[in-house]
Amino acid sequence: MFDTVNFKLTRAEVEGVDFLREITPYLDPDAVGYHNYNGVLSATGKIGNLSVGLNSWQVRVKDGSLCKWMMGDNYQTMTRDDVQRAIERLSDALHLPMDRAIITRLDVGMSIPVEQPCANYFKHLGALAYAKRFANVGSVNYYRHRHAEWLCFYDKNLEQRDKHKPIPEQYRGLNMLRYEQRYMSRLPSLLKVPTVTGAMLYDEEFYTCLLTRWRDAYQAIKKENDITINFEQMRTKRKFYAMAVLAMVERVGGEHAMLTKISEAQKRGELTAKQAFDLRKEVKAVCGEKAGMAAPSEAITELDRKIAEAIQLYGCF
């Protein structure tokens, strides 16, 4: 279930190696370039779609999909065995023990075939505690832990078209929803371990932990339900009013989106601080009592099921 993985291997992990002199010959010859930064000679190059940067005392492999490098595309999902084979293959390609390398970025992700257009699922993904939510055409992203961790939901086929890349034949015409949990930095702090190495990525316990975190992060997102006109729950003016407010909230994209709009209106001077406070309080109150006025979204019910199935299929449970 891994995609982009950034590796860093230094003389602390491999003694007696001059990376610049010994490893550069193994890079794709047409892509090698040499650079001098403040008197320090370094080189950049490629191994397939993976970028490699190195000097005499360290080598970094980054900015490319390990899944694509190993499987041919990142529509597919890497199993734990696939991850181990990929790191062994990378070790052979570079003639280095990449299982000892420090992991500085790690994306845990999966492309999920869904029944409806991807946008139908994104509109139901609401607020996530202690995270900033950003929605664009074709994606919803969450950033937390000072942007060290990202949760990204996007239309995989739309991304391929935007990048002018081919869609593998077996995925053409399908709705492919991509969900990734990206650890961009500070992995030991986020994952509560002293360090993260290449070998840990195919360790059963650690691999299972990462998949569980991927599932739990999705489950922690507040889901916006579909509004239903339930007259049995709407027999008073207060309930009627709540239904109308709730319908408006859902129309603009859910509780989080409405609260954001209120805050933006306050910043523009269209609402006073007191007015904005009262409106936020009312929105939260209505959203808190929407039982019976909102039905579970079929799209989210489907996505819930497929996330759970992915854990069972690729996990070690």
Side-chain angles (χ1 to χ4, degrees), residues 188-204:
S189 174
L190 295 175
L191 299 173
K192 313 299 182 189
V193 292
T195 189
V196 180
T197 66
M200 291 174 66
L201 300 186
Y202 50 86
D203 173 81
E204 182 173 323

Side-chain angles (χ1 to χ4, degrees), residues 42-71:
S42 64
T44 56
K46 289 275 191 179
I47 291 186
N49 64 291
L50 301 178
S51 297
V52 181
L54 65 166
N55 54 33
S56 293
W57 59 87
Q58 72 172 4
V59 58
R60 292 177 180 264
V61 180
K62 59 181 182 177
D63 301 335
S65 166
L66 185 67
C67 182
K68 183 177 180 180
W69 184 77
M70 181 66 182
M71 313 287 285

